[in-house]
Amino acid sequence: MNDEEYQEEYEEEDYYDEPEYEDDGESEDEEADHYAVRPNKTRIKKEIAEVFAMAEEICALSPAHIAEFELPESIEQAMRDAGKMGHNSARKRLLKYITAQLRKLDTAAIHEKLARMKNRSAHAVREHHQAERWRDLLLAANGNQQLTLFIEEFPAADSQHLRQLQRNAQKEAKEAKPPKSARLLYKYLKELIADASGLPPVDEDTQDNEDAED
C-alpha cells in the first residue's frame, strides 16, 4: 500500500472516531445521561496524541521487534514503511493512518507490551556494559585479582573455564592477534551476569556493539 492509498483510506472523522447518536425515542433525562458520558474533543485529542506517540515509538523499532506486537498485517506493514521514511509530511500522514487503526485495537495491551520491550532493552544495555567492564578488568594487569573478585560475586562461574578464557585473551592481546578469546570471554561473562539477574533472557543486538568497540 503506497502513501496515496494510505491517504485515501485515512479520513479525519475516522481518526477522531466520535460516536454517533440516533434519536430512538429516549427521554430527555436519558439523552442528558448520554451527553454526560460522551467523550469530549479535548480528551479524544489527548488520547489520539498518546496513541500517535506510541505508534511513532513502535515504528522506530526493527522489523523483528515490530513483529512481536502481532498486529494485523496491514498495520505492521505500514509501521515498517514509516520506519524507512524521513521526517516529512508523507510520514506524518502515514502515522496518522496507523494511529487511526491502532485506536480500533486494545491500545492498553499494546502500550504494556511496548513498556516491557523498553525495559528489556534497557536491561540488555546494562548487562552489556557490566560484561564489558568485567572483561576489561580481567584483562588488566591485575586480572588475577579481579578474577577472584568476579568469582566471589558470581559463584556459579566455572572458574577453570573463565581462567582459560582470560589467559587466551591476554595472550592474543600480547601477540596482537584478533580478539577471538576476548569475545568469548565477554559472551561468557554476559551469560553469567544474565543468569544472576534472575530476569528472563534478553535477545538484543548488543554483541555487534561489543565487537565494534574491540
Side-chain angles (χ1 to χ4, degrees):
M1 184 182 288
N2 58 36
D3 183 54
E4 291 182 359
E5 291 172 326
Y6 283 127
Q7 191 173 7
E8 289 176 2
E9 182 164 341
Y10 164 76
E11 298 292 343
E12 193 70 23
E13 54 266 25
D14 292 334
Y15 191 45
Y16 283 94
D17 196 22
E18 293 191 62
E20 296 180 357
Y21 296 92
E22 298 180 358
D23 183 4
D24 57 2
E26 293 177 335
S27 67
E28 291 184 1
D29 290 341
E30 290 173 325
E31 288 178 357
D33 289 340
H34 276 195
Y35 181 79
V37 299
R38 181 178 181 179
N40 58 52
K41 281 196 173 182
T42 300
R43 191 173 76 183
I44 291 174
K45 287 181 179 179
K46 181 181 178 181
E47 291 173 355
I48 290 171
E50 290 172 352
V51 178
F52 186 94
M54 180 176 69
E56 204 164 20
E57 281 195 76
I58 298 174
C59 290
L61 299 174
S62 68
H65 284 161
I66 292 174
E68 289 187 38
F69 288 88
E70 300 180 336
L71 298 167
E73 177 58 31
S74 60
I75 301 178
E76 185 175 319
Q77 182 59 54
M79 286 180 162
R80 290 196 296 266
D81 292 343
K84 300 174 186 176
M85 294 180 176
H87 291 273
N88 50 37
S89 57
R91 181 175 180 273
K92 187 173 182 180
R93 287 195 298 270
L94 184 50
L95 282 168
K96 286 183 176 180
Y97 164 81
I98 294 169
T99 300
Q101 300 307 306
L102 288 178
R103 291 187 68 231
K104 299 174 183 178
L105 306 176
D106 184 354
T107 55
I110 298 171
H111 184 273
E112 183 181 350
K113 185 171 289 189
L114 177 61
R116 289 200 304 268
M117 186 176 292
K118 289 165 68 176
N119 181 65
R120 185 181 68 186
S121 179
H123 174 60
V125 171
R126 287 194 298 272
E127 286 182 356
H128 165 65
H129 289 304
Q130 194 175 359
E132 274 191 327
R133 174 179 169 273
W134 273 112
R135 177 203 58 189
D136 294 343
L137 289 172
L138 292 177
L139 298 184
N142 62 339
N144 290 337
Q145 180 182 352
Q146 296 298 330
L147 179 61
T148 300
L149 294 175
F150 181 86
I151 294 173
E152 288 177 358
E153 186 170 344
F154 299 92
D158 183 336
S159 58
Q160 185 175 354
H161 178 59
L162 196 54
R163 194 178 301 277
Q164 186 63 52
L165 289 174
Q166 180 192 38
R167 288 173 178 170
N168 291 344
Q170 288 172 335
K171 183 178 179 181
E172 287 173 348
K174 185 177 181 180
E175 298 176 358
K177 292 183 177 181
K180 179 181 178 181
S181 294
R183 292 193 179 100
L184 292 174
L185 176 61
Y186 163 86
K187 184 178 180 182
Y188 183 53
L189 292 172
K190 191 167 183 292
E191 288 175 356
L192 291 168
I193 292 167
D195 289 343
S197 72
L199 295 174
V202 293
D203 183 18
E204 298 293 331
D205 297 328
T206 53
Q207 183 64 48
D208 292 339
N209 295 332
E210 188 274 333
D211 288 347
E213 292 179 11
D214 281 327

